[in-house]
Amino acid sequence: MTDSLALSDIELAAIRADFPLLGHRLADGKELVYLDTAATSQRPRVVEEAMREFTENHNAAVHRGAHQLAAEATLAYEAARAGVADFLGASPEELVFTSGTTAGINLLVASFLAASGNKSGGSSQRFAVGPGDRIVVTEAEHHSNLVPWQRLAQLTGAELAWLPVDSAGRIRLDEISRVIGPRSRIVAFTGASNVSGAVTPVAPLVDAAHQVGALTVMDAAQLAPHQPLDVGALRVDFAVLSAHKMLGPNGIGGLYGRAELLQAMPPGSLGGSMVEIVTMREATFQPPPARFEAGTQAVTQAVGWAAAIAYLNDLGMDRVAAQEHALTSRLLAGLARIPGLRVLGPAEADGRIGAVALEIEGVHPHDAGQFLDAEGIAVRVGHHCAQPIHRAMGVTSSTRASLGLYNTALEVDRFLDAVSQVRSYFGVGR
Ligand code: PLP
């Protein structure tokens, strides 16, 4: 990673001016320091503008109706799809709009369940799982990439197995040959942990999965906002992500699936807009991606997401990554100088994103969060919807600061200064 691509102060100031919320003053007049981008990112003005332009000029339900407005809305929706797909290195028919990462994984699980219950054979059988089969996840997963797979295992009789993490929350690749075996059908893993920040080396997982004919599912919720992403180069079969973590609006996200797989996969959600011919007894389905988009779609949000992606593309994801890498280095170096803190993740900025979770010895994360909040600093406290990885690292919860491309060195320093006072404020270590 070359930090020479990091943004200059002038560039960063111009970027911050695009995000109205970053100028927000708190009730006590303090300037907000927003360090909770891993939960949800802030949005540049262009995102709201794109959505307003759509609402005021083109709003209609897509893929229906013969009127011109519906055609305009459909054009905007499909242009948004093309923009998001391109960002991922996919083609438009490989990108299904969902309401977010969680919905994308649930959609996959519902499709696997539909295939598992279908005894008539056919191409959907490659998605069927049953007793004796294995579904592999990792201990680093957000609950949304764990609990749906637990349900799939429970309902089909398949076995759930997982790759453990090491003491820094990195997925243990040395366990691959023990966990991924001939009966493995699915290998689901996060691209980057929202707790340890560790970026997953994808190639060994994909190689091991494909060697035994298993399908790979990458949770890209934390990876997509921070690094260039190319699903083709990564060779993953499926990937899921959320717009709201990458400068876009709430309520929209995507499921990428290799074209050939989406062609064969049965829909997990059924209703309007995804069917061809419907009789009282049965229905035939549209080709993908429409087959997986039942119901009226979040068109305005899709347009907003595409605007967020255009903003990221203008900046360049290599520069976003470099900027965040430089700031993460500063944050980690500063934390290493403060006694009584343990970083729950890799100590170096290489191979991680800027989500940095901490154990503050002797202080409960909720207390730490309140102290930091009083200083104007917004961090996340708790288990961040990832209890197993916390347990694996010997804690139940943590205090997490997470960086976005719009954060400054000054903000990192304000956080470091505040966090250095937490233990003495609560009378610990005196
Ligand atoms: N996966 C990871 C790694 C996450 O960090 C999150 C959200 O924090 C999710 C999945 C769930 O995303 P969403 O709530 O947008 O569906």
Side-chain angles (χ1 to χ4, degrees):
M1 173 64 55
T2 160
D3 289 357
S4 62
L5 284 175
L7 302 168
S8 70
D9 288 349
I10 293 174
E11 286 174 309
L12 189 52
I15 285 168
R16 286 179 67 83
D18 292 336
F19 290 78
L21 192 131
L22 297 179
H24 182 71
R25 292 268 167 184
L26 298 164
D28 54 9
K30 282 206 175 69
E31 278 174 37
L32 168 75
V33 175
Y34 188 72
L35 297 180
D36 201 15
T37 291
T40 200
S41 60
Q42 298 304 338
R43 295 172 208 143
R45 226 176 245 112
V46 287
V47 169
E48 298 300 328
E49 282 168 3
M51 292 199 290
R52 193 173 55 244
E53 197 279 330
F54 176 81
T55 301
E56 292 176 359
N57 298 299
H58 312 290
N59 182 42
V62 297
H63 296 307
R64 305 168 194 208
H67 56 77
Q68 289 179 41
L69 202 60
E72 287 175 30
T74 302
L75 263 182
Y77 186 60
E78 292 307 326
R81 191 194 306 280
V84 177
D86 185 60
F87 181 84
L88 297 175
S91 57
E93 61 278 8
E94 294 178 311
L95 196 267
V96 176
F97 280 123
T98 66
S99 65
T101 301
T102 305
I105 297 164
N106 277 280
L107 189 157
L108 272 179
V109 165
S111 293
F112 279 95
L113 262 181
S116 307
N118 174 6
K119 305 289 176 226
S120 58
S123 61
S124 75
Q125 281 315 289
R126 67 191 294 187
F127 304 98
V129 292
D133 289 336
R134 188 174 260 205
I135 300 165
V136 177
V137 292
T138 88
E139 220 176 4
E141 300 313 309
H142 187 281
H143 297 159
S144 68
N145 199 27
L146 170 60
V147 180
W149 300 117
Q150 291 175 346
R151 170 67 62 84
L152 182 62
Q154 283 154 7
L155 292 181
T156 59
E159 176 201 8
L160 187 75
W162 54 91
L163 289 159
V165 293
D166 66 17
S167 58
R170 286 177 294 236
I171 296 168
R172 284 194 41 196
L173 304 175
D174 58 322
E175 290 281 313
I176 284 179
S177 58
R178 182 182 66 79
V179 179
I180 301 177
R183 294 302 302 267
S184 299
R185 305 298 315 278
I186 298 159
V187 178
F189 56 87
T190 192
S193 161
N194 64 320
V195 177
S196 72
V199 171
T200 305
V202 171
L205 290 171
V206 168
D207 286 343
H210 288 172
Q211 250 166 35
V212 295
L215 294 166
T216 50
V217 180
M218 182 173 76
D219 172 355
Q222 293 294 345
L223 196 58
H226 305 294
Q227 300 194 354
L229 192 59
D230 181 342
V231 287
L234 290 174
R235 297 176 292 123
V236 290
D237 296 307
F238 296 101
V240 284
L241 69 168
S242 299
H244 74 94
K245 292 190 192 289
M246 47 190 300
L247 315 186
N250 292 115
I252 188 90
L255 163 67
Y256 156 80
R258 271 200 300 117
E260 177 247 323
L261 292 172
L262 289 186
Q263 288 288 347
M265 194 166 80
S269 177
L270 308 167
S273 300
M274 47 75 71
V275 284
E276 287 172 338
I277 295 173
V278 181
T279 67
M280 284 312 293
R281 288 208 183 278
E282 57 192 6
T284 59
F285 304 126
Q286 297 260 7
R291 185 192 303 158
F292 302 101
E293 294 179 355
T296 304
Q297 296 300 298
V299 185
T300 315
Q301 288 82 348
V303 168
W305 189 13
I309 282 180
Y311 187 92
L312 288 170
N313 283 337
D314 278 352
L315 216 58
M317 286 307 291
D318 48 349
R319 298 208 69 199
V320 170
Q323 169 69 11
E324 293 183 3
H325 183 268
L327 220 54
T328 305
S329 295
R330 186 183 186 98
L331 175 56
L332 291 169
L335 290 170
R337 288 193 290 269
I338 302 172
L341 298 186
R342 174 183 161 214
V343 171
L344 301 169
E348 304 294 330
D350 286 353
R352 61 143 47 244
I353 56 167
V356 179
L358 299 174
E359 180 188 9
I360 305 177
E361 277 168 29
V363 181
H364 193 279
H366 284 108
D367 292 332
Q370 263 180 15
F371 176 84
L372 293 167
D373 183 49
E375 297 297 311
I377 300 168
V379 296
R380 173 102 186 246
V381 294
H383 53 60
H384 326 312
C385 302
Q387 292 179 29
I389 189 172
H390 275 96
R391 214 168 283 127
M393 290 193 282
V395 292
T396 53
S397 57
S398 62
T399 305
R400 183 188 71 191
S402 58
L403 303 172
L405 63 95
Y406 35 63
N407 286 121
T408 65
L410 202 68
E411 290 181 316
V412 166
D413 293 350
R414 268 186 67 186
F415 170 71
L416 290 169
D417 182 44
V419 89
S420 72
Q421 299 171 40
V422 170
R423 291 176 76 241
S424 63
Y425 179 82
F426 288 102
V428 180
R430 278 194 187 142

